[in-house]
Amino acid sequence: MRTPNKIVWIAAGNKENESLVSLFSSLVKQVPWNCTNLLITNAANWRTFTGETYKVTVDKEEDHSLVARYRQVVLAAYHENVLEDADIIVTGGMTAVMLIYMLTHGNSGITLRNKPIVYVSPKVPEKEVAEFPVEGYEESMFWWMVGNIPNVHAVVLDNDTEYELADKRLFRTCPNSNKKIRRLVLWKYEPLDGLPEKADKVVWSGRWNSIKKPDIAARIMAVLSGRGIDVEFFIPTISTSRRRLLTHIKETFPRVYIGLDSQEYRKEAGNAKVLLITSEVEGQPLGYLELLELGVVPVIRKRPWMKTFMGEGWPLIYTNEGEAVELCIEAMRNYDKYLALMQDRLKARYNKDPNFTNLIAGIWDEYVAGDYNHDYSLDVKGRGAF
């Protein structure tokens, strides 16, 4: 059976690090073939990808709007002429919608041979992505695309909430489709021989954006600090233009870490007893799971995504900021009790081997066996629609 020669990974981002690039940087190491892997991105963390990289640079700040960021990488992929000779395209977000629109609405005579297009993302598409309007379709273009185009595959992380949401959206748009959403397992819990020596401190980790809800974290941490508890913030990256948002935080809290590498992050944050999680949405947050593996007990804001993060009935779930403060203190006072409970839950919840190798191989085998006989054209004029 023939194998792919080139996989093109397309990830839109901005001047900060992008979680999709981090995800792709992990997945590329699991590709089962000895082939070329090429990343096209405008995100800051492009160097983490072990393969060839086209870094898309943009001079104008206004060109970093949501739609513009996706448009930049799609058009860069076209202009660099890497789409035609790609055997598989892996992408996420609105990029997939734009790309498929271009491939299915062409009349310019520029034909791209058929190939698997794999949509994989840290989270199910947000509303503005899923409802990206395309003239001629009353339904969501994204889910119409997944349900009706045989070589387009939607992959969600191993989270029941994400899977159920994706499955419902696909069924609502394409009730007669036999396409299935695929689940991606990223992490298996492997108990460590020993844990770092623990300090009585609470840590918060995440990008400084609305999804992570740092404003809630700041208020909770301020109360904890006022009660004599050590607190620390870990921010993986933030652009120069947005660093002013941290002025108050850095003035209020003495330990705010920005841009630590993975080893430093594990060392500094991994010796805490408690991890405060305030996120609105998560898929399968590897940064949090790494800390849990190191014995940091999570206190989690009650949101739909977290019901399968630690399993039903995890006792350290809060609904308001006052409750969060008390649960953080409770977790520290009875750390050994909650550590043992957490480890038992991790063993039960994260007991599957990472499966991207088998997943991408299965998609390729289906493509080769299916021998799809329809071609898509790329309408150069249609680029203006984006």
Side-chain angles (χ1 to χ4, degrees), residues 25 72 79 88 102 130 133 137 186-187 208 348 375:
S25 298
Q72 289 156 12
H79 285 299
I88 301 174
M102 293 164 69
Y137 294 98
L186 293 176
W187 187 78
W208 207 260
D375 290 324

Side-chain angles (χ1 to χ4, degrees), residues 270-333:
N271 68 352
K273 286 186 176 179
V274 177
L275 168 66
L276 175 66
I277 300 178
T278 55
S279 301
E280 187 73 19
V281 179
E282 293 287 355
Q284 195 173 33
L286 294 181
Y288 294 158
L289 291 171
E290 287 181 356
L291 292 186
L292 270 56
E293 183 181 50
L294 292 169
V296 187
V297 174
V299 173
I300 312 170
R301 180 169 169 246
K302 187 175 182 179
R303 304 304 300 156
W305 71 270
M306 47 66 55
K307 70 178 183 180
T308 58
F309 179 61
M310 291 297 293
E312 296 286 352
W314 176 245
L316 301 174
I317 301 293
Y318 65 91
T319 57
N320 59 66
E321 294 167 16
E323 192 176 8
V325 170
E326 297 306 322
L327 287 177
C328 286
I329 295 173
E330 163 67 14
M332 280 195 297
R333 285 176 176 169

